[in-house]
């Protein structure tokens, strides 16, 4: 067993993901959210730090769980009920939990945006879209039909997607922002995006996209955000000589 010191892994991730510099939503609390006794042999990755996911990580013998959505999205909570159970579960089984949200979305090599963009053939993309001073998405002009692009996205996310064909078959400039960016259709249109790929959006985003003449491919919030945590767990495993990482697949269907 490798028995790596956890502090070195946390320092590596904090630095590589620029955790202290990149802004995020108030509930993100990026970085190490729960510590363990300081040892690491097995890394697990998942999208959400939910109770079923933590249970699966414990059952698999993981020492570190790397997630995209951490423990504190609901804000300050009393440590009772489900919140108590999952915190106690992690502590009782020496499971550390590390979360990275926007820093993982926008990372140029390990990010959800970059990995999804690469998977659909965006090999020379550029950043766009401002989030508190940082570019949130990737864009590139593609020469393919909407149907062809939809097929590529479905292969990348491993399932069917929902499509608003607001502009038609010529995809033009394609923008990628994974997760829940569907409410930004107006901003995408203003940014010159012709086809917007995201995870999910509110109901009104579809009719607005039609009116604006914008194609939108809703690939699923969960499905578009499995890329980053998988990649980071593999990077950590290789760098620190650990055994093969575990991916805990617990889809929401959303």
């Amino acid at each position: 067993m490798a028995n790596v010191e956890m502090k070195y892994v946390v320092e590596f991730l904090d630095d590589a993901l620029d955790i202290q510099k990149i802004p995020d939503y108030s509930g993100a609390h990026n970085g190490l959210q729960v510590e363990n006794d300081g040892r690491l042999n097995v890394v697990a990755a998942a999208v959400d730090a939910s109770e079923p996911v933590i249970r699966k990580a414990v059952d698999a013998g993981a020492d570190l769980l790397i997630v995209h959505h951490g423990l504190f999205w609901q804000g300050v909570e009393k440590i009772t009920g489900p919140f108590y159970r999952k915190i106690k579960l992690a502590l009782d089984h020496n499971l550390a939990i590390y979360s990275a949200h926007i820093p993982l979305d926008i990372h140029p090599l390990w990010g959800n945006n970059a990995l999804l963009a690469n998977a659909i053939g965006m090999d020379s993309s550029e950043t766009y879209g401002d989030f508190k001073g940082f570019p949130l998405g990737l864009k590139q002009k593609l020469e393919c039909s909407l149907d062809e692009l939809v097929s590529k996205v479905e292969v990348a996310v491993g399932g069917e997607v929902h499509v608003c064909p607001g502009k038609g078959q010529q995809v033009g400039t394609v923008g990628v922002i994974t997760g829940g960016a569907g409410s930004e259709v107006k901003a995408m249109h203003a940014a010159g995006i012709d086809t917007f790929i995201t995870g999910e959006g509110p109901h009104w985003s579809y009719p607005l996209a039609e009116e604006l003449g914008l194609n939108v491919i809703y690939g699923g919030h969960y499905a578009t955000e499995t890329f980053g945590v998988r990649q980071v767990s593999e990077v950590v495993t290789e760098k620190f000589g650990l055994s093969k990482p575990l991916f805990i697949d617990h889809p929401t269907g959303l």
Side-chain angles (χ1 to χ4, degrees):
M1 301 289 279
N3 208 29
V4 173
E5 288 191 53
M6 185 73 72
K7 66 178 181 179
Y8 297 122
V9 177
V10 172
E11 288 171 0
F12 167 73
L13 289 174
D14 284 353
D15 181 62
L17 294 170
D18 216 353
I19 289 294
Q20 300 304 320
K21 182 179 179 182
I22 295 174
D24 213 319
Y25 298 101
S26 60
H29 295 291
N30 294 313
L32 187 65
Q33 295 189 337
V34 176
E35 65 180 359
N36 69 356
D37 67 359
R39 62 176 174 80
L40 172 58
N41 293 298
V42 179
V43 177
V47 175
D48 304 292
S50 65
E51 186 178 357
V53 165
I54 292 173
R55 169 61 65 186
K56 290 178 182 179
V58 165
D59 290 345
D63 305 300
L64 171 64
L65 175 63
I66 299 173
V67 297
H68 187 53
H69 302 130
L71 293 161
F72 305 106
W73 284 103
Q74 308 307 316
V76 176
E77 293 186 60
K78 295 180 179 179
I79 306 177
T80 60
F83 192 59
Y84 164 77
R85 291 197 304 268
K86 61 184 180 181
I87 295 295
K88 186 175 188 300
L89 186 61
L91 294 176
D92 285 351
H93 293 85
N94 203 42
L95 177 69
I97 300 175
Y98 187 100
S99 181
H101 186 238
I102 297 295
L104 189 52
D105 281 322
I106 69 175
H107 193 278
L109 298 177
W110 312 338
N112 290 314
N113 294 331
L115 294 170
L116 176 55
N118 290 343
I120 61 174
M122 293 173 61
D123 54 3
S124 58
S125 59
E126 60 184 88
T127 60
Y128 82 103
D130 177 74
F131 178 79
K132 300 181 180 181
F134 285 80
L136 193 56
L138 294 173
K139 67 178 182 178
Q140 181 181 332
K141 187 171 183 179
L142 294 179
E143 299 294 338
C144 67
S145 70
L146 180 59
D147 288 343
E148 290 169 336
L149 183 59
V150 167
S151 294
K152 291 178 181 179
V153 175
E154 288 182 333
V155 170
V157 301
E160 294 184 359
V161 301
H162 192 69
V163 182
C164 171
K167 190 173 183 67
Q169 280 296 314
Q170 292 304 309
V171 299
T173 299
V174 177
V176 175
I177 302 178
T178 59
S183 60
E184 300 300 319
V185 290
K186 189 173 182 179
M188 296 303 103
H189 179 259
I193 301 300
D194 300 302
T195 301
F196 181 42
I197 301 171
T198 188
E200 63 172 329
H203 172 80
W204 55 261
S205 67
Y206 189 110
L208 179 56
E210 284 185 309
E211 293 168 356
L212 293 171
L214 175 71
N215 294 328
V216 182
I217 301 174
Y218 303 89
H221 195 137
Y222 177 90
T224 60
E225 294 193 328
T226 61
F227 299 92
V229 288
R230 283 179 181 265
Q231 184 65 34
V232 168
S233 67
E234 291 173 2
V235 169
V236 167
T237 295
E238 181 176 353
K239 179 174 179 61
F240 292 94
L242 303 171
S243 58
K244 184 178 179 180
L246 309 167
F247 177 63
I248 299 173
D249 192 18
H250 193 76
T252 62
L254 301 174

